[in-house]
Amino acid sequence: MAVMENCCCCRVRTACLIFGSLFLVCNLWSIGDDISSIITETRKTSQQQETEYNITLQAFNDIGLETTREQIVNFLNIDFYITFANIVLSVFVAVFSGLMIYGVHKAKSRFLVPCLIFYPIDTLVRIIFLVVHVENLGFLHPLSIILNVTCLVGIVFDFFIWLCVYSHRQQIKDQLVNHEEWEGNEKFSM
């Protein structure tokens, strides 16, 4: 497998710290946002839900996205249930990102393994979420196209982030096998 020395303009160690911090902060925010959404959604009366469906349908039609009421109802209901799974995924990603930050900081490769295993699983689950929405709306529906493009861009970024973590893990393992000194080694400097 390819091992990178640099990721864009910095070493993979620095990139891992940056990506780990971003994943940690974003997923903690996502957990709070999803919990808030669930609380808000469960407190809505049936009249408020009907109003939300009508407003959403009108907004979609106003911007030229021809959508039926049934599609909107299904989309919002599916999205509500996906929020529960998203909380679980976000908790795992936040914990594993914290482990990754610790592993990179202390140069312990075993703390990078959970990220290497879970990030692809997280990507696969999000693709399944996307397929469920696309099944509801139709593949060529404009909202489905937007979701597909967004997911594709996310997959490309996730692959390079995974490759950064993998590369840094390999660097740590090579460093330990070769019994080189950590201090003063440019390979691991920030």
Side-chain angles (χ1 to χ4, degrees):
M1 180 93 183
V3 176
M4 301 185 316
E5 288 289 325
N6 292 322
C7 178
C8 298
C9 61
C10 59
R11 302 251 183 234
V12 289
R13 178 184 190 277
T14 305
C16 286
L17 289 172
I18 291 169
F19 292 137
S21 299
L22 288 174
F23 273 159
L24 182 63
V25 169
C26 290
N27 280 286
L28 289 175
W29 175 80
S30 178
I31 292 166
D33 186 52
D34 287 344
I35 290 172
S36 173
S37 295
I38 289 171
I39 290 170
T40 301
E41 194 64 32
T42 55
R43 288 185 177 174
K44 285 183 183 174
T45 64
S46 59
Q47 180 62 32
Q48 290 173 324
Q49 286 179 337
E50 289 298 320
T51 303
E52 180 185 19
Y53 297 151
N54 292 332
I55 290 171
T56 306
L57 180 63
Q58 185 62 40
F60 273 57
N61 290 330
D62 286 348
I63 61 173
L65 298 176
E66 293 300 322
T67 307
T68 65
R69 179 170 168 50
E70 180 184 346
Q71 287 175 322
I72 294 297
V73 170
N74 287 339
F75 180 84
L76 292 175
N77 286 337
I78 290 168
D79 195 54
F80 174 72
Y81 292 112
I82 285 176
T83 303
F84 289 100
N86 195 43
I87 289 173
V88 173
L89 290 173
S90 294
V91 167
F92 279 112
V93 171
V95 168
F96 294 154
S97 295
L99 289 174
M100 181 176 71
I101 292 169
Y102 177 77
V104 169
H105 184 67
K106 296 293 185 177
K108 296 185 180 202
S109 66
R110 67 180 177 270
F111 287 99
L112 302 179
V113 173
C115 290
L116 291 174
I117 294 170
F118 192 74
Y119 287 169
I121 293 170
D122 179 57
T123 300
L124 179 66
V125 171
R126 294 188 190 281
I127 289 171
I128 292 170
F129 292 169
L130 176 72
V131 169
V132 170
H133 277 308
V134 168
E135 180 66 28
N136 174 44
L137 296 171
F139 186 74
L140 296 177
H141 189 277
L143 184 58
S144 292
I145 293 172
I146 292 168
L147 290 172
N148 288 333
V149 170
T150 304
C151 186
L152 181 64
V153 170
I155 289 170
V156 170
F157 281 121
D158 286 346
F159 172 74
F160 284 107
I161 292 168
W162 182 89
L163 188 58
C164 261
V165 175
Y166 175 81
S167 295
H168 187 61
R169 182 172 180 271
Q170 288 303 112
Q171 286 177 351
I172 293 171
K173 286 174 66 178
D174 291 347
Q175 190 74 9
L176 295 176
V177 168
N178 295 334
H179 303 290
E180 296 174 11
E181 292 293 322
W182 280 99
E183 306 306 323
N185 189 340
E186 287 183 24
K187 191 183 232 185
F188 297 100
S189 64
M190 293 184 47

